[in-house]
Amino acid sequence: QQQRQQQQQQRQSSSSSRRGGPSPSGRTSSGAPSRHGPPGGIDPKHLGLPVVLVPRVTQGALAYDNSRRLFAEGRYVHLAEAAPEGSSSYELEVCPQGRAPLLFRVVSEIRADDERYWHRLAAVVVLGKKWQLSRYRWSDPVQLFQKALGVYFRYNDEASAELVKQWDVKTMVLGRQHRTNDAVVRSEFWEEVVRFLAQRKPRLLAFAERAAEKKRSSGGGGGGGTGTGTTSPGTAVGLVAS
């Protein structure tokens, strides 16, 4: 019986070798990388803080320089009145309703060849201008909004840009004069981002939760459950480069 089991194992091993099937290490029996990638289908170099891309422009309802107050505190400041951000990125802890805290990185730009950040893209704030997408890794709006959540911010007394009406994006409406709706807009924004990640990039969402937990345990987290921003440009709380 033992001899029959050994013969069966040899036949299975031979069959797997002929098919070039993947081994538990994520490589085929010949040593070549499996087309399925590492276990779980995730390349470790693509793991890190989820990225929210907000272009640095001087017009529109929301741009990089006035994003932090809205995203972190639910308080909107007009772009003309906002102090310029001193760096091109910042970390932000948010606490969506019913979830553990999450850590994100908000950036003003991503180089076209920056594989790491493009694969971690969670959301992009769109301006309704075609030139904006032309500079991105995925310039086709259909492809881009499959990879990341598209969000368009406008004022309550203006119509959406014509291009936005053709795109699969979420529209967020801010009051031009009154600030009573700011906190609601902030909550809706992060709920949409989390929903997108849960459906499309769940492991990235899980990483954001672990990063926030580790940052809090090391004494660097925010309080109050409303989300706080930090500007530390180093590593993502010891997990992976942010």
Side-chain angles (χ1 to χ4, degrees), residues 162-180:
E162 288 300 317
L163 271 179
V164 171
K165 298 176 183 178
Q166 305 170 25
W167 294 346
D168 182 17
V169 302
K170 301 293 182 181
T171 298
M172 302 284 164
V173 181
L174 292 160
R176 188 185 293 272
Q177 302 297 336
H178 303 291
R179 304 274 57 87
T180 56

Side-chain angles (χ1 to χ4, degrees), residues 3-24:
Q3 184 176 6
R4 285 198 301 270
Q5 290 176 344
Q6 291 175 347
Q7 291 173 346
Q8 185 177 6
Q9 290 174 353
Q10 289 173 354
R11 286 195 298 270
Q12 290 175 344
S13 175
S14 176
S15 175
S16 175
S17 177
R18 288 194 300 270
R19 291 194 304 267
S23 70

Side-chain angles (χ1 to χ4, degrees), residues 132-150:
Q132 179 190 1
L133 274 58
S134 68
R135 304 187 303 180
Y136 292 166
R137 176 188 173 100
W138 303 294
S139 58
D140 174 39
V142 175
Q143 187 177 20
L144 175 63
F145 301 132
Q146 288 176 343
K147 305 287 187 179
L149 176 71

Side-chain angles (χ1 to χ4, degrees), residues 25-105:
S25 66
R27 307 183 71 86
T28 63
S29 57
S30 63
S34 166
R35 64 184 180 88
H36 298 291
I42 296 293
D43 191 329
K45 71 181 181 182
H46 294 157
L47 277 178
L49 297 184
V51 171
V52 176
L53 175 57
V54 187
R56 188 171 236 157
V57 293
T58 57
Q59 294 181 330
L62 192 81
Y64 180 74
D65 286 330
N66 68 336
S67 64
R68 188 196 293 257
R69 290 284 294 275
L70 181 65
F71 288 169
E73 304 172 20
R75 298 177 61 188
Y76 177 76
V77 177
H78 285 271
L79 186 56
E81 302 169 1
E85 286 285 345
S87 63
S88 60
S89 71
Y90 59 88
E91 284 183 11
L92 188 68
E93 182 185 289
V94 298
C95 302
Q97 187 174 8
R99 292 197 65 97
L102 303 167
L103 197 62
F104 286 83
R105 176 160 291 279

